[in-house]
Amino acid sequence: MGILFSQEHKVFQITTQNTEYCIGIADDRYIGHIYYGKRLDDLRCGYLMRTKEPPFVPSANRRDKGPFMDVFPFEYPTWGVGDYRESCLKVRTDKGACGCELHYVDHRITEGKPKLPGLPATFEGPGAGKGQTLEIFCRDSVIGLKVVLRYSVFADSDALIRSVSLENESQSPLHIEKVLSACLDMDGEGMERLTLNGSWCRERRMERSPIAHGKQAVSSLRGESSHQEHPFLAVMEPGANQDQGQVYAMNFVYSGNFLAQTEKSQFDSLRVVMGIHPEGFEWVLDPGESFTAPEVVCVYSDQGLGRMSLIFHDLYRNHLIRSPYLHQKRPVLINNWEATYFDFDSDKLLAIAREAKKSGIEMLVMDDGWFGRRNNDNCSLGDWTVNEEKLKGGLKALVDQVRAEGLLFGIWFEPEMISPDSDLYRSHPDWAIKLPGREATLSRNQYVLDLSRPEVVDYAYESVAAILRSADISYVKWDMNRQLSDMGSSYLDGARQGELFHRYVLGVYQLQERLLEEFPKLLLENCSGGGARFDPGMLYYSPQIWCSDDMDPIERLAIQEGTALIYPLSTMGAHVCDCPNHTTGRTTPFTTRAHVAMAGTFGYELDITKISQSDRDKIPGQISQYHKYQPLVREGDYYRIASWRENHQYDCWQVVSKDKGEALVTYVQVLSQPNYRSRKICLKGLDPDRDYRLEIEDTQEFKERAKAKEFDGICRLTQPDGQVYSGRLLMQGGFLIQRLHEDFSSVLLHFIGQ
Ligand code: DGJ
């Protein structure tokens, strides 16, 4: 790993163990992109910018500066001076002149990785994770704008981290209409794109499509990263799959509006950009002030999506998630949301806690409905006082009783919101985001607090902190149940209304930073109406995020596959639900629900006092499986073996410990197919020269069910427990899974290195 500058070739070479990123200073001091891919280790690569062929740089061919601007592979393209492709930077002067052109001034290579003011950012890890950073300083001297292009790498990662800062060196304000964080220009013929798309209860489904001429974007203008589209974009070779082919991916470390776009030009070249969405954005940069745009993580893999996922997972575990829980077992929780919704009181919660304790559950989480007059979702957001009609004797009394039962206690908040029917709104109607003279759009009957206003941030913080100070609370679920609209702030002046979207996100970050400073031992789980704010920005504050309100294990296959494409399994909030499932109406085996939830942080979201005795009897066994496997799931390497999304029949993934000493395979048969052979799955990531002994989980249950003639469970066991295979045989020959005689059934296979 290292960053080099060759004065002779005017080339910056940024290398990781397996990749290289090259930037050139072309004639006329234009900064161009040269190369990203497998290592070249050859600094004579500047010719790839094609400046020695027509239309040439402007000093050689002034009359054709326009065509040059429109074809040169700019490292950071600007708007208004002849490059008609998507720009990253658009600046207007106080006099209304809109155009910007950047030229190289200087650079600096430093050890380490700087923090970004007010923003989540990757950081140097302990030990092997040392970092290095290149800053390229460039300037538009006509408008007095300095731009810093920043690139960091870490010794133990193949990722490249980019960010951009602006500084106003002029005497008057500059209006930043657009500041994206990264651009990647490449030849890119025939590439395809991969995005994550969805909706509430259908988050982050993978979608692959051809790249056409013109612009194709995924974006959010909802004020959060959103259920609908995701701040991730990969371009890949058409044949690329899990194991092979080139993939270039970008992921935005930000939780608000974003734009991620491909653009195929008239010459079939490809420009990929990512950053804060320019629509609804304008930042007034006063003289002497700076603005830093959030960072983008770039990953190149020449071994398909599987390698890309491993790079993201390790980067986020080693360089982004700060929580002390990152490498710790998370308590098995039971959440009362789908058990009771708003209809609960201390007695109900305590009954759940007592029964949960008997089964080995470790924490009770009290969800929405404990404050103000919140007996439904129409009121009280902002009034964070305990409802003592529900919690008799107050919150502390309940927490103490739950603690006395031997469980930890967790609580739900939605601090960014305000209900029109709340004391807070009645006394501070101006604290809600809304446009003057216009009734703000309601969503779930609530408005959004104006977090650009410092006293609102203070109020929201104190509301949460006062509750946490009042009782022994170990965990907070931080929810956000509507998206932003009617973007008006009575706090910001007219010229700064375009700052509100970004200032809102900065307010959220500030709130969570303060929370972690005061309560460093708190386990924080972010959530947004399910998984609408599952992004690297939030992972900087919380080690886990609620993946989706859809807990149906079959729906979860696609949701968790898309999420695990980028994020480590240890970050995915996943619970066992009751059946029929509340969002799909589907009934699935209790064991399958547990197997799928075990790929995440694991917990239960059902009324344990009401489920069937036979389901309840399975919980202790499931929890001991969780305890057994969670270090592996949390720390191991994730491999996708098969996807139900693609084959319409079954899903299969695997986690292998870093030392290749053990592996856990989860196989889910979605629909049972009659009269069919066994299915062969090829394992991945094992040591080919090592033997592995098979251990099949839940065999007792299969035998019992087969005996009771519930299903022909015995067919799962034709490859017996204790069988030994070489890693090579399992990876190249494969393992045979017998047909499971039931829809939606699953099996956990543990391979233990000998
Ligand atoms: C949305 C969350 O995703 C749910 O789990 C639950 O907490 C509700 N909000 C409560 O309003």
Side-chain angles (χ1 to χ4, degrees), residues 289-427:
E289 276 185 356
S290 307
F291 179 92
T292 297
E295 63 188 32
V296 165
V297 174
C298 303
V299 169
Y300 167 78
S301 157
D302 65 339
Q303 293 159 49
L305 291 171
R307 169 95 190 122
M308 177 204 80
S309 299
L310 290 174
I311 298 171
F312 274 120
H313 289 196
D314 282 343
L315 179 84
Y316 291 157
R317 282 186 292 207
N318 297 330
H319 297 281
L320 181 71
I321 302 170
R322 299 174 296 170
S323 167
Y325 290 92
L326 173 63
H327 297 299
Q328 275 178 38
K329 188 182 81 62
R330 321 283 161 81
V332 178
L333 64 82
I334 186 157
N335 177 304
N336 75 308
W337 179 240
E338 289 204 353
T340 65
Y341 293 105
F342 294 101
D343 181 18
F344 66 86
D345 59 16
S346 316
D347 292 342
K348 253 193 200 177
L349 293 178
L350 281 166
I352 291 176
R354 279 188 203 109
E355 196 56 51
K357 176 66 189 170
K358 283 191 222 157
S359 299
I361 291 171
E362 298 161 309
M363 178 160 73
L364 174 78
V365 175
M366 178 173 67
D367 212 280
D368 192 356
W370 55 266
F371 53 93
R373 292 176 294 102
R374 189 131 167 119
N375 295 318
N376 53 47
D377 59 10
N378 283 318
C379 68
S380 298
L381 292 170
D383 297 346
W384 297 103
T385 46
V386 176
N387 178 337
E388 297 211 12
E389 277 170 34
K390 284 180 167 177
L391 308 190
K392 296 163 199 96
L395 178 66
K396 184 167 179 341
L398 172 66
V399 176
D400 288 348
Q401 280 166 287
V402 171
R403 297 288 290 119
E405 294 294 339
L407 271 81
L408 300 170
F409 189 87
I411 194 167
W412 176 98
F413 284 99
E414 194 178 359
E416 302 159 56
M417 298 292 150
I418 179 166
S419 303
D421 180 7
S422 66
D423 293 341
L424 184 66
Y425 189 72
R426 283 182 278 277
S427 49

Side-chain angles (χ1 to χ4, degrees), residues 337 367-368 412 444 477 479 481 527 529-530 546 549 605:
W337 179 240
D367 212 280
D368 192 356
W412 176 98
R444 211 193 190 202
K477 175 176 172 187
D479 205 349
N481 280 305
C527 168
W546 185 228
D549 277 348
E605 193 157 330

